[in-house]
Amino acid sequence: MNMIERYLASVAWRLPPPSRDDIVSELRDDILSRIEAAEARGAAATEAQISAVLRATGHPATVAARFAAQDGLLPPEAVPWFWAHLRALAILVAVLQGAGALVAGFAGQRPEQAIAQAVGQGAVNMLQALGALLLAYLCFSRYLYPRLMQKWDPAKLPAPPAPGRDHGSTLSHAIGLVFGIVMLLWWAGAVQLPAIPSHLQPGPVWESVFVPVLLLLAMGVALQLVELFAPSRRRLIAALAVGIAVASFALGNYLLRHGPLLVAADDSLSARAMAGINAAGGVILIVIMTASVFEAWQRARQLFAPRAACSGA
Amino acid sequence: MTGMDDTFEPLRQELRRGNLVLAVMLALRSERYGYTLRTYLAEAGLEVEESTLYPLLRRLESQHLLVSEWREEGRRNKRFYRLAAEAAPVLERLLSEWRGINASIEALSGEPRP
């Protein structure tokens, strides 16, 4: 895909869907008209010329922002990223609070109490996350973003994402990479983390899956590395993601069949409480396995989708 | 005078932006598409960036001051704009307003009166 189409794709994903195609078509015509006018004056359409035209047009985020509403707390260029990160945080808080409520419920707490606690704590966590995220974005927008906008190079814009997928986030993948490396080192025993409460310990089933989990975590790290440093390798990314999703499903299935996931380390928990805790863990595993199926299906469609035709005119 | 240059440029941009709507409406009394419109304005002394012009064209069209249609020309689809029929009286009033402001500025730029 040539530089112009990568540029237009970078503008396009930041635009609202209803007017996206229209705006991009018009921008494409304007850019090509300027290049043709330069050629008519005798200047050859080299990569350097095209890059200069695109730089004169402006960074894709700036161009897209001009079509957005003005006067927000954050600059328009930052808004899509802010919403994407806020959504991810909301999902994480909801999953963690939901899992906690499930565990508490199965362990004997009254369901309405467990739900009320989860909702209340989740709301507090969400407010804290919103505040922290907003502060981070304000600092980034004010101090780092203006410098980044001066140094961009049209030739280094990434390829657009596959059809039907959201555009990846460098920050998300960086966080995922750090998290993946930490989990890998923890599983391998190189670092200690506060994993589970002292009155619980992993069930014997975990010993038999040490190597598969290690390989799965390593694949996760490899995926984040490719997403960060070779984002144009869409088929490799899709293949890795399919592999991880299939392996996750298989591992979850094995753990469910050969559990328990956790056993009591002392007599502080009743058999009923342990059964409840393992049932909650089973529900969480089933949710992860279901998500793995959907992920594998979506990624497999990407893997086997025909390559999109890219042309300048 | 670097400090004054830094102050002057945003003010200059603001002054030009304030007249851009009128300039675009005048230019689109004849049908043009984005690139030729920018070129026409530039030849008249009003350089405008595409990232400013295209959102402005959309805004004016949403206000029913312009109409547009896509047509194929030179192997590409281009969006042609022109002034809407019902916008002609609005243009006349804006132009009259601008002439009044212009006369006031000219008067103000003479010898200051006590």
Side-chain angles (χ1 to χ4, degrees):
Chain A
M1 180 169 280
N2 67 27
M3 201 190 304
I4 295 173
E5 288 306 318
R6 286 211 308 274
Y7 176 86
L8 291 171
S10 286
V11 175
W13 80 265
R14 291 169 165 96
L15 293 170
S19 51
R20 179 180 293 159
D21 290 344
D22 233 25
I23 293 169
V24 167
S25 296
E26 206 160 8
L27 278 175
R28 179 185 287 109
D29 176 60
D30 186 85
I31 290 165
L32 292 173
S33 296
R34 279 187 288 150
I35 292 169
E36 285 165 2
E39 285 180 310
R41 290 193 296 271
T46 60
E47 289 274 299
Q49 284 279 358
I50 294 171
S51 179
V53 168
L54 295 178
R55 278 195 65 91
T57 306
H59 191 280
T62 306
V63 171
R66 296 279 173 94
F67 290 92
Q70 304 289 324
D71 299 331
L73 180 61
L74 297 174
E77 299 92 319
V79 171
W81 290 119
F82 178 78
W83 284 119
H85 286 124
L86 191 63
R87 267 196 304 272
L89 276 174
I91 289 169
L92 183 65
V93 167
V95 166
L96 288 175
Q97 291 302 327
L102 265 179
V103 170
F106 279 118
Q109 191 178 32
R110 282 165 46 197
E112 58 272 20
Q113 201 175 0
I115 291 170
Q117 265 186 353
V119 168
Q121 190 59 44
V124 169
N125 290 345
M126 205 51 230
L127 279 173
Q128 289 170 336
L130 174 63
L133 190 67
L134 200 53
L135 188 61
Y137 263 84
L138 284 170
C139 292
F140 177 75
S141 302
R142 189 175 173 81
Y143 299 112
L144 290 176
Y145 187 75
R147 288 183 207 171
L148 284 176
M149 287 300 102
Q150 292 193 353
K151 292 183 184 175
W152 72 285
D153 181 352
K156 290 182 181 169
L157 286 172
R165 294 286 293 183
D166 288 335
H167 202 284
S169 148
T170 302
L171 180 62
S172 297
H173 294 308
I175 291 171
L177 179 64
V178 170
F179 182 74
I181 290 173
V182 168
M183 291 305 295
L184 185 61
L185 291 174
W186 169 70
W187 187 255
V191 299
Q192 294 294 319
L193 291 176
I196 54 179
S198 58
H199 47 269
L200 293 171
Q201 63 187 27
V205 66
W206 291 102
E207 290 176 10
S208 58
V209 298
F210 177 81
V211 171
V213 170
L214 193 70
L215 289 174
L216 186 60
L217 291 171
M219 281 175 70
V221 169
L223 175 62
Q224 296 300 336
L225 282 170
V226 177
E227 290 266 27
L228 272 173
F229 297 110
S232 59
R233 302 288 300 274
R234 303 312 303 176
R235 284 179 185 265
L236 174 61
I237 288 168
L240 276 171
V242 168
I244 288 169
V246 169
S248 299
F249 184 90
L251 184 65
N253 188 45
Y254 181 84
L255 289 170
L256 278 177
R257 289 175 183 277
H258 296 90
L261 301 172
L262 297 167
V263 297
D266 53 36
D267 295 330
S268 60
L269 289 169
S270 65
R272 183 164 177 257
M274 281 310 307
I277 290 170
N278 278 298
V283 169
I284 293 170
L285 267 183
I286 290 171
V287 168
I288 292 172
M289 287 164 63
T290 306
S292 299
V293 169
F294 282 112
E295 177 73 8
W297 171 245
Q298 274 209 306
R299 294 291 195 163
R301 284 174 64 194
Q302 267 182 280
L303 191 59
F304 296 109
R307 289 188 190 275
C310 298
S311 63
Chain B
M1 289 286 276
T2 314
M4 275 301 134
D5 288 342
D6 291 342
T7 304
F8 171 73
E9 188 57 30
L11 292 172
R12 175 179 167 272
Q13 295 289 346
E14 203 176 308
L15 183 64
R16 294 168 73 87
R17 248 197 318 271
N19 291 282
L20 195 54
V21 168
L22 182 56
V24 164
M25 291 178 71
L26 285 168
L28 289 176
R29 286 176 299 179
S30 297
E31 187 181 69
R32 298 172 205 283
Y33 66 92
Y35 178 73
T36 54
L37 174 60
R38 266 197 328 119
T39 311
Y40 183 73
L41 290 172
E43 286 168 359
L46 271 176
E47 297 271 355
V48 57
E49 294 176 352
E50 49 283 297
S51 57
T52 301
L53 180 64
Y54 289 111
L56 175 62
L57 291 172
R58 273 172 173 71
R59 179 164 66 86
L60 294 177
E61 189 173 14
S62 71
Q63 293 171 323
H64 308 293
L65 296 171
L66 302 179
V67 291
S68 71
E69 63 172 348
W70 286 94
R71 289 207 304 269
E72 190 170 317
E73 188 178 278
R75 294 176 305 129
R76 283 204 302 271
N77 277 333
K78 297 176 193 293
R79 191 169 182 169
F80 286 83
Y81 294 89
R82 57 183 165 76
L83 193 69
E86 57 266 35
V90 175
L91 176 59
E92 282 308 311
R93 289 174 65 185
L94 279 175
L95 200 50
S96 173
E97 187 74 22
W98 181 85
R99 285 177 179 134
I101 294 171
N102 200 38
S104 301
I105 297 296
E106 285 287 356
L108 287 168
S109 67
E111 285 294 323
R113 291 182 291 178

